[in-house]
Amino acid sequence: MAGGTAEPAEPPESAGMTGTEEVSRLRGTLFEAVTLGATVFGLLMVGVLLLYVVNDAVRPLSADPGWHLVFFLTLVVPSLSVAAYCYTREGPAGEVAYATFGLPVVGLLVGAGIVVVFLEVVSVADWFGLALALVAAAGAIELHRRLRPYAALERLAVLIVAPLVAIFGVPALSVDRTLATPLTGTELFTLSFSTPKLLPGVPELFTSLPVLPLDWLLLVVSLTLPVAFAFGRIVSRRREDDRGRLETVAAAGAVALVGALVAPTVGIDAAHWVVLATTTLLPLGVYLEGVVRERAGLAGLWFPVVVVAGTLVGALVVETVGFAGPDPWLDWGFLTSATSRSPADAGIYPALVGSILMLVVIVVSAFPVGVGAAIYLEEYAPNSGPLGTFVTLVEINIGNLAGVPSVVYGLLGLAIFVRTFDLGNGTVIVGGFTVGLLILPIVIISAQEAIRAVPDSLRQASYGMGATQWQTIRNVVLPRALPGTLTGTILALGRAIGETAPLLMIGAAASVRTPPNGFFSRFSAMPRQIYSWSSEIQPEFRYGVLAAGVVTLLVVLLMMNGTAILIRNKYQRES
Amino acid sequence: MSGLELGHDSARSMRGRVVRVVFAVCAAVSILTTAAILLTLLADAVEFFSAVSPIEFFTGTRWTPTNEPVSFGVLPLVTGTLVITFGSALIALPIGLLTAIYLSEYASGRARSILKPALEVLAGVPTVIYGYLALVYITPAIDALVPVSTFNALSASIVVGIMIIPMVSSISEDAMSAVPDDLRQASYGLGATKFTVSTSVVVPAALSGIVSSFILALSRAIGETMAVTIAAGQTPRLVDLTDPAGVFLESVQTMTAAMVQLGASDVTGQSIAYKSLFAVGLTLFAITFVMNLLSELVASRYREVYR
């Protein structure tokens, strides 16, 4: 490389260099350019491909140029300027803008998921009965704690039995057994009896009431008020008084009640309103209260206002002038209808519901087990002795499990859950358990990292106050580790929602016309549906329906990852 | 009931013990999972091998589990997997390594904080979407240059290569960042350029970490399922090395794709074809498991060297 300029690239102190030590700067510069090119290669490639997909799904070019111009002026320019203003001010305004816009969007998504569950899986009355049963069980456990505070074994039994009895009641007993000697087969005696159902469960009692309250009232009591109570804790802590919690509950209840009375007049179902208000307005309200109280980043509040106002004004102008909007594949019809042979009618609704239900199963099964395993490995596990070997084995094993191909997990699910436990071919619960096992290592590892990040001084302080190990974990370690654990879990759930191969192996349906109506019915999930569509050869499927499905899946993923990042950012700032 | 009633302290320690056992059971779930994977795969694979001899399985050159004449030679699937793995390695290993060098040696802190999470996104996109991208966008683009069949190994290799880049880059970068700065400074002191330091000092010093990342990425490519099923098709074909161009331009079937095909078809639970699913699964599990262990072994070397 003698042809290059005679300066060393690095370090710059080169005054004393002579001709014999000349080195080329060109080579170094070229190399840096090549490494940079390699770094962005994959990103660019996937980025361009995704642009194609979005273009096929939304078809923005099918709209009138005037339509684009109007929205560019009313929506894009103002919101970009507000965003730029928030960004350059460098204050917390950007964070506020991001959160006040993101919270309602995520809230709407969660709310829509809950509404779908109420529409397709459980009735509101059943849900309320279940909630009542859980309250009754909690009451029984609390009563036992008061009456016999030192009976630990007994309480363990109560902990297990009370919820079961409350939910299912005492079922009918039926025994029919013959005891015989093993060798000769002589009958010794026969035990055979059966009883009618001894005690109905609380949900059964509730739904057998002759007059049931309206659905939306039940939801206010069983959903809005408890959620408000939980969020109220944040308000109370922020204001350092106890009234914050009460006021939050009262305000949430009032908004839900008034809205539920008004909503039907504008064509919204009152029960849906209650759910959506709980998931959207309540977190937003609590967040805004904090922003206003701390007076930090108030400018960011303009961002959602500008976005909403810009959309409304733009829509109004477009309507009056008569510019035609785009004709996308991804529209309301796509989200709410079932798949079909004709591309124009095909939709993703049943698969969307299937994915949501599968996520519910995963959250209920993999999350507690993963966190429990992480607590054991980080807090209890001994480092030596036979148990120490076991722990080392578990940790190596977790790393290896994370590298097992997903299709092998599918085989596991097929062999264990479908054939051995006979939970049904391709049912929601089998899908949830299988994919739950798949993401379990990720959940465990992220929870371990979060627990490890809790400073040891906090544990020592807790022990110093006389707390037991379990009290320390419950009151000190877990609350501090929760945000990190949640972030990791949500990211793992993002992985779960895109998994396809395990679903294929356990026999999830190629395409279903009706959404699953329970956890034991056969289902299809979004990626499974996308795979089925990919074998259609009509261009309308390839470049239309498929693209819309892919964008739907990606948007859901993006929302989940956005939530995870939001939690992580907030947590990093606080600690 | 007096036997169940304990003093205050022993009640607390009792609860502590119960809690501890519950959590230990949670931790044991992961061991149980591995055991269950091994047992279920082995149980059905053993039944399969009692019907089809292992020699026939591992040396047979035709894979036709459901068509007459039935034949269970796994070689076409293994070579199909190798084609995809080789193709994706051609993309991911050099690009991932260069990416790691850039991130560790050249990038500013700000650039790194943006690029690293962005690269992780590449691994987070669902693989079914990669398959769709390959089938619907990349294959027609290739077809415009060289005529290829609708399903081909090339487009599948490209997307699999892209999705394993982060695996190579993040682990290699960790290894390069762990190289002590003294080595770099010493090299600069001898008058070396940054290029020389990066390629002749940092990369060799981080070699075990880099090799470990390569093995892990290859293992991931071998186990990759949806992208290859959608993009590379379902044609079990023994690779014909006398026609190198045809290897990548035509359809192949990998082990994973064959499993998906069998799993999604309606073969019955007792048929040999169904059992063969587990034999292929066991082969796949064994290969990836050994590679993951190997990667961990290689990686543990560099951890010890620079501590």
Side-chain angles (χ1 to χ4, degrees):
Chain A
M1 288 288 164
T5 44
E7 273 177 84
E10 186 84 27
E13 302 87 359
S14 59
M17 292 279 180
T18 64
T20 51
E21 288 159 62
E22 280 179 8
V23 269
S24 166
R25 168 178 269 185
L26 182 69
R27 191 172 52 174
T29 320
L30 258 182
F31 184 68
E32 183 174 352
V34 168
T35 55
L36 176 61
T39 309
V40 293
F41 165 81
L43 293 174
L44 274 184
M45 185 130 180
V46 171
V48 168
L49 288 172
L50 289 183
L51 273 185
Y52 270 103
V53 180
V54 172
N55 181 42
D56 281 342
V58 185
R59 300 208 295 168
L61 297 183
S62 63
D64 219 312
W67 186 89
H68 283 288
L69 185 70
V70 168
F71 275 101
F72 182 73
L73 290 179
T74 60
L75 181 62
V76 178
V77 172
S79 49
L80 277 186
S81 4
V82 172
Y85 175 75
C86 293
Y87 182 75
T88 48
R89 264 175 62 107
E90 282 292 338
E95 167 92 31
V96 172
Y98 180 44
T100 42
F101 188 70
L103 268 180
V105 173
V106 172
L108 265 183
L109 211 73
V110 173
I114 297 177
V115 167
V116 162
V117 170
F118 278 130
L119 276 178
E120 306 290 349
V121 187
V122 291
S123 73
V124 174
D126 286 339
W127 152 257
F128 192 81
L130 193 68
L132 269 188
L134 290 181
V135 170
I141 294 166
E142 180 62 23
L143 192 70
H144 181 264
R145 201 179 67 82
R146 296 256 168 98
L147 290 180
R148 295 168 66 85
Y150 302 133
L153 259 186
E154 225 178 82
R155 183 134 66 255
L156 186 69
V158 173
L159 264 174
I160 295 169
V161 172
L164 288 178
V165 171
I167 294 173
F168 300 109
V170 179
L173 276 179
S174 153
V175 178
D176 185 15
R177 261 193 106 86
T178 305
L179 200 71
T181 53
L183 287 177
T184 54
T186 327
E187 281 189 23
L188 295 178
F189 61 90
T190 304
L191 186 68
S192 176
F193 70 90
S194 64
T195 62
K197 184 147 188 166
L198 294 174
L199 192 71
V202 177
E204 211 175 317
L205 278 179
F206 177 74
T207 43
S208 63
L209 286 181
V211 186
L212 284 178
L214 289 168
D215 276 359
W216 64 264
L217 256 178
L218 292 178
L219 281 174
V220 169
V221 175
S222 64
L223 188 74
T224 310
L225 297 185
V227 174
F229 189 72
F231 272 100
R233 179 153 176 239
I234 302 177
V235 178
S236 266
R237 198 184 275 177
R238 206 154 48 203
R239 299 189 344 190
E240 291 171 358
D241 66 7
D242 289 336
R243 281 185 44 219
R245 194 168 216 172
L246 263 175
E247 285 173 18
T248 313
V249 173
V255 170
L257 280 182
V258 173
L261 293 177
V262 177
T265 59
V266 290
I268 302 172
D269 187 273
H272 297 176
W273 155 264
V274 171
V275 171
L276 291 178
T278 308
T279 59
T280 312
L281 296 182
L282 186 59
L284 185 66
V286 170
Y287 182 77
L288 287 182
E289 201 259 2
V291 171
V292 173
R293 175 165 305 276
E294 286 161 19
R295 306 217 151 268
L298 282 176
L301 294 183
W302 283 107
F303 184 71
V305 175
V306 166
V307 169
V308 171
T311 312
L312 288 180
V313 171
L316 202 71
V317 172
V318 164
E319 189 72 22
T320 47
V321 181
F323 290 132
D327 177 23
W329 283 103
L330 176 57
D331 54 10
W332 188 245
F334 178 79
L335 292 179
T336 53
S337 54
T339 183
S340 151
R341 285 239 164 271
S342 91
D345 302 330
I348 204 167
Y349 181 69
L352 195 66
V353 178
S355 278
I356 294 173
L357 289 190
M358 193 183 80
L359 276 190
V360 171
V361 175
I362 295 175
V363 169
V364 172
S365 59
F367 181 66
V369 174
V371 174
I375 293 176
Y376 181 76
L377 293 175
E378 288 301 315
E379 299 288 330
Y380 286 104
N383 292 321
S384 55
L387 261 182
T389 342
F390 166 74
V391 168
T392 325
L393 206 68
V394 170
E395 292 204 322
I396 295 176
N397 184 48
I398 288 170
N400 255 319
L401 275 181
V404 172
S406 56
V407 67
V408 172
Y409 278 100
L411 276 187
L412 176 71
L414 176 65
I416 300 276
F417 301 125
V418 177
R419 284 192 308 174
T420 309
F421 291 119
D422 204 15
L423 294 173
N425 196 19
T427 52
V428 178
I429 197 147
V430 170
F433 281 167
T434 307
V435 181
L437 274 185
L438 174 85
I439 64 160
L440 190 61
I442 317 178
V443 176
I444 296 179
I445 292 171
S446 62
Q448 267 183 297
E449 277 167 10
I451 292 174
R452 217 175 292 150
V454 177
D456 219 32
S457 54
L458 290 179
R459 291 188 189 89
Q460 301 305 337
S462 173
Y463 289 135
M465 305 273 283
T468 62
Q469 189 171 18
W470 167 234
Q471 285 167 333
T472 305
I473 292 171
R474 199 181 49 186
N475 300 328
V476 178
V477 178
L478 279 187
R480 294 279 296 211
L482 190 64
T485 311
L486 275 183
T487 307
T489 306
I490 296 175
L491 291 178
L493 288 179
R495 163 111 196 258
I497 207 171
E499 277 299 340
T500 323
L503 300 184
L504 287 167
M505 304 311 289
I506 57 144
S511 51
V512 283
R513 300 297 166 92
T514 51
N517 56 5
F519 292 106
F520 288 95
S521 65
R522 198 147 183 246
F523 81 119
S524 182
M526 283 192 285
R528 179 69 186 89
Q529 183 67 60
I530 289 173
Y531 175 62
S532 321
W533 281 332
S534 76
S535 55
E536 303 272 355
I537 47 168
Q538 290 159 273
E540 287 86 356
F541 266 110
R542 288 232 156 147
Y543 294 99
V545 176
L546 249 173
V550 166
V551 171
T552 313
L553 180 57
L554 279 178
V555 166
V556 173
L557 255 177
L558 211 65
M559 299 277 178
M560 293 173 70
N561 290 4
T563 316
I565 292 169
L566 201 76
I567 295 175
R568 186 169 61 195
N569 286 352
K570 194 165 164 51
Y571 163 69
Q572 274 174 351
R573 213 186 45 220
E574 279 174 2
S575 65
Chain B
M1 273 311 198
S2 64
L4 288 177
E5 202 154 338
L6 306 159
H8 184 227
D9 279 350
S10 47
R12 274 165 59 139
S13 77
M14 177 77 206
R15 187 185 323 157
R17 241 176 297 153
V18 168
V19 166
R20 182 196 188 98
V21 167
V22 168
F23 290 147
V25 167
C26 291
V29 167
S30 76
I31 293 272
L32 286 181
T33 310
T34 312
I37 290 178
L38 268 177
L39 283 180
T40 53
L41 290 182
L42 275 176
D44 282 293
V46 163
E47 276 187 49
F48 171 79
F49 283 127
S50 64
V52 178
S53 81
I55 299 168
E56 189 190 332
F57 180 70
F58 287 113
T59 60
T61 55
R62 277 189 339 107
W63 178 260
T64 48
T66 48
N67 310 347
E68 290 295 333
V70 174
S71 166
F72 295 99
V74 84
L75 274 187
L77 306 181
V78 172
T79 55
T81 302
L82 284 181
V83 167
I84 303 282
T85 311
F86 181 72
S88 57
L90 277 186
I91 292 175
L93 303 193
I95 290 184
L97 181 59
L98 288 172
T99 303
I101 294 177
Y102 179 77
L103 289 177
S104 148
E105 304 299 313
Y106 290 98
S108 64
R110 192 176 163 75
R112 196 178 307 138
S113 72
I114 296 171
L115 283 172
K116 279 189 77 170
L119 280 169
E120 294 302 321
V121 170
L122 289 184
V125 175
T127 58
V128 66
I129 293 184
Y130 272 116
Y132 157 75
L133 293 178
L135 176 69
V136 175
Y137 296 102
I138 296 181
T139 297
I142 298 173
D143 197 40
L145 302 172
V146 238
V148 289
S149 55
T150 316
F151 302 104
N152 58 82
L154 182 57
S155 62
S157 301
I158 293 175
V159 289
V160 174
I162 290 178
M163 80 177 85
I164 61 175
I165 287 176
M167 193 129 246
V168 178
S169 69
S170 74
I171 299 175
S172 296
E173 196 231 322
D174 286 348
M176 290 181 193
S177 305
V179 173
D181 229 25
D182 301 357
L183 287 181
R184 292 189 187 85
Q185 299 304 338
S187 183
Y188 285 137
L190 291 170
T193 61
K194 185 150 196 168
F195 169 72
T196 317
V197 171
S198 305
T199 54
S200 310
V201 176
V202 176
V203 169
L207 199 61
S208 56
I210 294 170
V211 170
S212 136
S213 80
F214 282 5
I215 300 174
L216 214 57
L218 292 184
S219 146
R220 174 88 196 273
I222 290 173
E224 169 43 43
T225 309
M226 291 322 293
V228 293
T229 307
I230 296 176
Q234 307 277 15
T235 319
R237 184 168 64 89
L238 197 63
V239 169
D240 179 11
L241 286 176
T242 56
D243 174 25
V247 169
F248 278 102
L249 298 183
E250 280 169 36
S251 168
V252 296
Q253 187 174 41
T254 62
M255 290 190 278
T256 50
M259 288 167 70
V260 165
Q261 191 182 25
L262 272 176
S265 70
D266 41 5
V267 289
T268 52
Q270 289 314 313
S271 67
I272 297 293
Y274 179 82
K275 305 280 184 209
S276 74
L277 190 60
F278 290 83
V280 180
L282 185 65
T283 315
L284 182 70
F285 177 73
I287 295 175
T288 51
F289 193 79
V290 167
M291 289 182 80
N292 292 346
L293 273 184
L294 201 64
S295 158
E296 202 159 301
L297 272 179
V298 176
S300 65
R301 250 185 57 124
Y302 88 90
R303 275 193 218 114
E304 281 161 26
V305 172
Y306 300 117
R307 187 160 277 178

